[in-house]
């Protein structure tokens, strides 16, 4: 069982940028989080501090619960639409949020990928596969499924390491989703369910 962070460390973690994980705090607070493996100091100037995947898990976990049992994102925090129960209205405010989140993710790629590469997923995306793939799709204008509505994409976790499944009843729209993910730096392949012959796409973050 991981020792929970102190109240002061928890406040710094909770105040981190919800997408990039960028931290603000005193030098001592940030150094303590780095020592515990919850943050890292970027090697290039201005040497910002960011949450590690372990730090993101702490941030997404209510303080009274163990960090091994992450909780859903708090209300009010941006989350990409994975398709299902969420509303799908593309209001101007939502479009601005999605655009800002995608630009923030590209900047996180630049700051954390070797060589500043923006054309392939970063560690945050590999730690949040479903949310990362959904953000790429929503930012490109694809429509998520809502409730019992069969239309639209649905991004789901799979038993395979570093892979998500993208479902979309319209084959043409499914292949458009695959093209978007491929352009965003994911490896994609199309598959068919043996039981009902429906098509789906498997997507994994490309490393090089």
């Amino acid at each position: 069982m991981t020792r929970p962070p102190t109240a002061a460390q928890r406040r710094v973690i909770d105040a981190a940028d919800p997408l990039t994980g960028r931290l603000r705090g005193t030098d001592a607070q940030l150094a303590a989080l780095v020592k515990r493996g919850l943050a890292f100091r970027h090697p290039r100037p201005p040497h910002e501090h960011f949450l590690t995947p372990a730090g993101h898990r702490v941030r997404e976990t209510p303080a009274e619960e163990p960090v091994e049992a992450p909780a859903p994102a708090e209300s009010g925090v941006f989350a990409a639409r994975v398709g299902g129960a969420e509303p799908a209205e593309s209001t101007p405010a939502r479009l601005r949020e999605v655009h800002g989140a995608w630009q923030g993710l590209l900047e996180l790629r630049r700051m954390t990928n070797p060589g500043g590469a923006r054309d392939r997923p970063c560690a945050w995306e590999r730690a949040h596969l479903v949310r990362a793939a959904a953000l790429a799709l929503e930012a490109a204008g694809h429509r998520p499924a809502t409730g019992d509505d069969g239309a639209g994409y649905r991004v789901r976790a799979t038993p395979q390491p570093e892979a998500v499944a993208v479902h979309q009843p319209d084959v043409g729209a499914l292949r458009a989703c695959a093209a978007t993910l491929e352009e965003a730096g994911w490896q994609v392949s199309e598959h068919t369910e043996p039981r009902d012959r429906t098509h789906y796409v498997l997507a994994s973050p490309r490393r090089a």
Side-chain angles (χ1 to χ4, degrees):
M1 169 86 169
T2 304
R3 181 169 58 89
T6 66
Q9 291 170 346
R10 180 73 198 213
R11 285 194 293 272
V12 173
I13 291 171
D14 287 345
D17 184 281
L19 180 66
T20 66
R22 183 177 297 178
L23 293 163
R24 292 288 183 269
T26 66
D27 290 343
Q29 289 171 330
L30 297 173
L33 292 174
V34 170
K35 185 177 180 180
R36 297 188 58 175
L38 300 176
F40 68 93
R41 182 175 182 265
H42 198 275
R44 293 196 294 272
H47 301 299
E48 298 277 8
H49 286 74
F50 296 87
L51 291 176
T52 62
H56 277 287
R57 289 194 295 272
V58 170
R59 188 183 187 281
E60 294 171 0
T61 304
E64 69 275 12
E65 293 184 9
V67 298
E68 287 79 7
E74 299 170 1
S75 59
V77 175
F78 174 84
R81 290 171 175 163
V82 302
E86 315 111 322
E89 293 81 4
S90 294
T91 63
R94 178 66 186 180
L95 293 174
R96 286 193 298 271
E97 285 183 340
V98 173
H99 176 75
W102 178 247
Q103 293 304 312
L105 184 55
L106 292 179
E107 177 65 8
L108 183 60
R109 288 182 176 187
R110 185 188 69 80
M111 296 186 71
T112 61
N113 274 341
R118 289 160 53 104
D119 62 348
R120 62 179 180 271
C122 60
W124 183 91
E125 291 169 273
R126 291 191 291 273
H128 302 81
L129 293 170
V130 171
R131 289 167 59 187
L135 177 56
L137 292 175
E138 190 176 358
H142 296 280
R143 178 177 177 267
T146 58
D148 296 329
D149 182 4
Y153 69 78
R154 297 172 188 265
V155 183
R156 296 294 183 262
T158 73
Q160 300 186 38
E162 291 207 351
V164 295
V166 180
H167 301 271
Q168 160 65 267
D170 182 274
V171 175
L174 177 66
R175 288 173 179 161
C177 288
T180 290
L181 290 172
E182 191 168 27
E183 185 176 351
W186 294 65
Q187 293 177 324
V188 299
S189 56
E190 189 174 329
H191 302 267
T192 303
E193 289 281 4
R195 291 173 299 177
D196 55 14
R197 309 304 298 170
T198 59
H199 296 276
Y200 69 97
V201 162
L202 279 181
S204 301
R206 182 167 56 84
R207 288 186 176 271

